[in-house]
Amino acid sequence: MSEIGRDRRGAWRAALACMVTLSVAMGLGRFAFTPMLPIMLHEGKLELAAGGVLASLNYLGYFLGAVSCAAIGIKASSMVRGGLVATAALLVGMGLLHSFTSWGALRTAAGVMSAWVFVFASGWGLRRLAETNAPTLAGVIYTGPGIGIAMTGLLGGALGRWGSDAGWIGLGILAVVLIAVIWRVFDDGEHAHATGGAAAPAPVAAPRVAGPADRSDAIWLVALYGLAGFGYIITATFLPVIARQALPGSSWPDFFWPLFGLAIIPGALIGARAPTHWDNRLLLAFAYALQALGVVLSVAWPSIAGFALGSLLLGMPFTAITLFAMRDARRLRGNAAAGLIGYATASYGVGQIVGPLFAAPLAQRTGSFQLPLLVAAAALALGAVLFALVWFKSRGAAGQ
């Protein structure tokens, strides 16, 4: 096989392995709780407010995992494999253990694992794509969360017909099967690194010197990225519960969550191909506005069509928002963007933690998610307007 052919095969192996990895860590490990929650509520194992606490504990774990990554010196492939095995065990544990305290510990640990796997798999995969001269396949990697979410929605509800315990254990077994398929791929490139045979890294540009305008833009990016975390997470956590309240007796609520996941896939591929000269702040404003409209539709048009369209509008920008935010951090800090990315990720994590803690008790008291959803949509709309204003202000300053 020619060198180009080997590179292309290696690139696809890496992209698809990382896609499956993120499907397991994010779609199953992090978001399986969304389709399992209504089953656990129906069985009387949880009240809605307690479900909100478990969701926020998972997002707290993700936050802690994300901010701890910089201090971890373990090889990326080892972190990915260890995190995947732990994720499968934690899923099975949700079906074997039956106390709220145990569930809280398991969901927190699952959040930590999903952050570690996301960060280290992204780093490993993007390095392999650079080594195999196929950086455009990055979009394939980030379809993984959407594929995993679709799987949890379709399989979680089906397995849950035998009870939530069977649902959790079944998802854990599915994770084991997927992990076994991709396990050996993470050995790719190891020999080249050990012998010095990897492609030479690209020259590192000098760190960008941040001026007052850049510092102001960085503050806005961190603050407004937190609004995205808060704005989407209420729907992403409670969508099947919200839909079942609005459409009692219908079989459709089980399909809106998989639809959300499937919408992430084209969004990731399109977002990865957005021209780099397009302004990230305007792209973020547009993506926030789409998500705000998606959230509002579940309140203003609580029908099958409204929930379906709302799920699509919420899902498509999901990964693209992360991509555009990371690109803007690099615009502001160049190769020294890691610190700004860390602050932005922390802000997003705080928004995710606050969302369920705010929404679940309020919905339990009022019997409706209308007010929490309207607040979430307002947060996203505010983010869209402010990103557009920051862009407009910078254009005015540049023209002076």
Side-chain angles (χ1 to χ4, degrees), residues 37-384:
L37 176 59
I39 300 169
M40 297 175 79
L41 292 173
H42 178 73
E43 292 173 340
K45 293 181 176 180
L46 282 176
E47 291 187 348
L48 187 57
V53 171
L54 288 180
S56 288
L57 285 173
N58 182 252
Y59 306 139
L60 173 62
Y62 188 83
F63 170 83
L64 295 174
V67 299
S68 67
C69 283
I72 297 173
I74 301 172
K75 189 168 63 174
S77 57
S78 299
M79 286 296 297
V80 171
R81 285 169 166 160
L84 288 174
V85 170
T87 296
L90 292 165
L91 286 168
V92 172
M94 287 294 294
L96 297 179
L97 303 178
H98 299 99
S99 73
F100 183 81
T101 302
S102 300
W103 289 335
L106 291 170
R107 295 310 296 155
T108 304
V112 175
M113 293 304 119
S114 62
W116 285 353
V117 172
F118 182 85
V119 170
F120 285 97
S122 294
W124 183 91
L126 295 176
R127 172 179 64 78
R128 284 293 296 149
L129 293 184
E131 291 170 353
T132 52
N133 303 306
T136 56
L137 291 182
V140 174
I141 293 176
Y142 296 108
T143 63
I147 293 171
I149 287 170
M151 284 193 298
T152 63
L154 293 171
L155 296 178
L159 292 169
R161 291 191 173 93
W162 287 280
S164 60
D165 291 350
W168 284 112
I169 293 170
L171 291 173
I173 293 171
L174 173 63
V176 170
V177 173
L178 293 173
I179 293 165
V181 170
I182 62 170
W183 186 264
R184 295 185 63 183
V185 178
F186 290 97
D187 290 327
D188 288 5
E190 293 300 321
H191 177 70
H193 278 271
T195 61
V204 178
R208 194 177 190 278
V209 178
D214 288 342
R215 286 191 287 271
S216 174
D217 279 0
I219 293 171
W220 278 113
L221 176 64
V222 171
L224 299 185
Y225 197 46
L227 292 180
F230 176 83
Y232 96 93
I233 201 61
I234 295 174
T235 304
T237 302
F238 301 109
L239 178 57
V241 177
I242 295 166
R244 289 185 186 200
Q245 286 182 351
L247 303 169
S250 172
S251 61
W252 277 96
D254 290 337
F255 294 101
F256 298 131
W257 179 243
L259 187 61
F260 167 82
L262 291 173
I264 293 173
I265 298 170
L269 296 173
I270 294 168
R273 292 184 175 273
T276 55
H277 65 271
W278 287 6
D279 194 284
N280 299 304
R281 293 162 296 185
L282 280 184
L283 291 171
L284 284 164
F286 179 69
Y288 278 40
L290 284 181
Q291 285 202 320
L293 180 58
V295 174
V296 165
L297 280 174
S298 62
V299 177
W301 193 16
S303 62
I304 293 171
F307 278 111
L309 183 57
S311 299
L312 290 172
L313 292 176
L314 190 70
M316 282 196 69
F318 177 68
T319 305
I321 284 174
T322 297
L323 175 64
F324 299 149
M326 299 307 102
R327 275 187 8 184
D328 206 48
R330 288 189 59 80
R331 174 184 70 86
L332 295 169
R333 294 290 187 268
N335 288 321
L340 180 54
I341 290 172
Y343 286 126
T345 301
S347 174
Y348 191 86
V350 170
Q352 291 183 129
I353 294 165
V354 171
L357 292 177
F358 161 74
L362 185 58
Q364 187 164 310
R365 283 199 306 270
T366 63
S368 170
F369 277 91
Q370 280 196 1
L371 182 57
L373 288 172
L374 289 175
V375 172
L380 288 164
L382 177 63

